Amino acid sequence: MVAEDAAGGARGAAVTDSAGGDGPATTDPESIRRIVREYGAWAPVYDWFARATASVGGVRAGCVAALDLDPGDTVVDFGCGPGVNFPALREAVGPDGRVVGVDVTGPMLDRARALVERRGWTNVSVVRGDATRPPISRADGALATFVTSLFPDPYAVVARWCDLADSVVVANFAPHGGRVANAALGAFARLNARLFDFEVGDPLGQLEARTEASRRALVDCTDEVAVEDYVFGTIRVQAGRS
Ligand SMILES: C[S@@+](CC[C@H](N)C(=O)[O-])C[C@H]1O[C@@H](n2cnc3c(N)ncnc32)[C@H](O)[C@@H]1O
């Protein structure tokens, strides 16, 4: 594992640079600007909400368990936001491991950095970068919670993550619940259609298609895939191991 410092010191991970890594971006610049604008404006509210709901349904704990990390491992949290996954990831890799958060939105990273400083964690770093062109070239595990549905081509991005990590776990919304749960998710998808950059039509179907694209990438690019549904079947955690 290469030790390198970039934008906050991602020691223990192979960080290619602080803004973007190799290969073409699979998100266009206007989409990135929209993401940064929206998530930047909502960062304080998102931080509060995500922390308040962090243990709901056991989704985040399920994701970290599915990564199957060992003490001393390096794990990347793509689209880490304010760092809600950091405590469980840090616990999983222990004091000798590394957690690297990557996000494209400055105000989200400011909050993640503030969390790291408050807790005095020396083995957790944050890097500003585009997760579709990972600024990390090697890690033991890669996690993305509620991120890949924002990408127009999740298959390409998840496949790229499979090249750099032995274990890749993604959590996304998916309509696999009952009628009421799916209707609530449909309302959420319609409300956020602009953020997801869905074409006109069926936002829930498009959300499902992106979650399914992540699964196909894991099936095609890893040796073993596990899928588990949470919160009345509205959140799907998909894990691939090589
Ligand atoms: C819904 S939030 C999820 C945050 C965190 N993973 C969580 O579970 O609370 C989506 C996050 O993905 C980030 N994001 C979206 N597209 C990205 C990209 N191409 N590269 C890096 N981060 C991205 C946003 O800035 C935002 O912080």
Side-chain angles (χ1 to χ4, degrees), residues 27 32 35-36 39 46 50 60 77-82 84-85 102-105 108 129-132 144-147 150-151:
T27 310
I32 292 277
I35 294 280
V36 170
Y39 280 107
Y46 186 87
R60 293 179 191 277
D77 187 0
F78 284 121
C80 64
V84 182
N85 295 323
V102 175
D103 204 289
V104 79
T105 304
M108 284 288 201
D130 180 356
T132 74
T145 51
F146 311 112
V147 178
L150 293 163
F151 304 148

Side-chain angles (χ1 to χ4, degrees), residues 38-55 60 77 79-87 103 105-119 121:
E38 300 281 336
Y39 280 107
W42 286 97
V45 175
Y46 186 87
D47 190 4
W48 170 82
F49 177 77
R51 262 171 235 298
T53 58
S55 56
R60 293 179 191 277
D77 187 0
C80 64
V84 182
N85 295 323
F86 288 177
D103 204 289
T105 304
M108 284 288 201
L109 285 176
D110 291 344
R111 303 191 82 84
R113 258 189 214 107
L115 170 70
V116 172
E117 274 166 29
R118 265 198 321 276
R119 301 279 179 100
W121 290 330

Side-chain angles (χ1 to χ4, degrees), residues 1 7-8 11 74 76 81 90 96 99 112 134 146 152 156 162 182 194 198 204 206 212 220 222 224:
M1 207 66 68
R11 284 179 297 133
T74 292
V76 186
R90 189 179 176 276
D96 297 328
V99 178
F146 311 112
C162 292
N182 290 348
R194 218 174 68 85
F198 287 147
L204 191 58
Q206 291 170 64
E212 173 56 15
D220 290 351
T222 68
E224 204 183 312

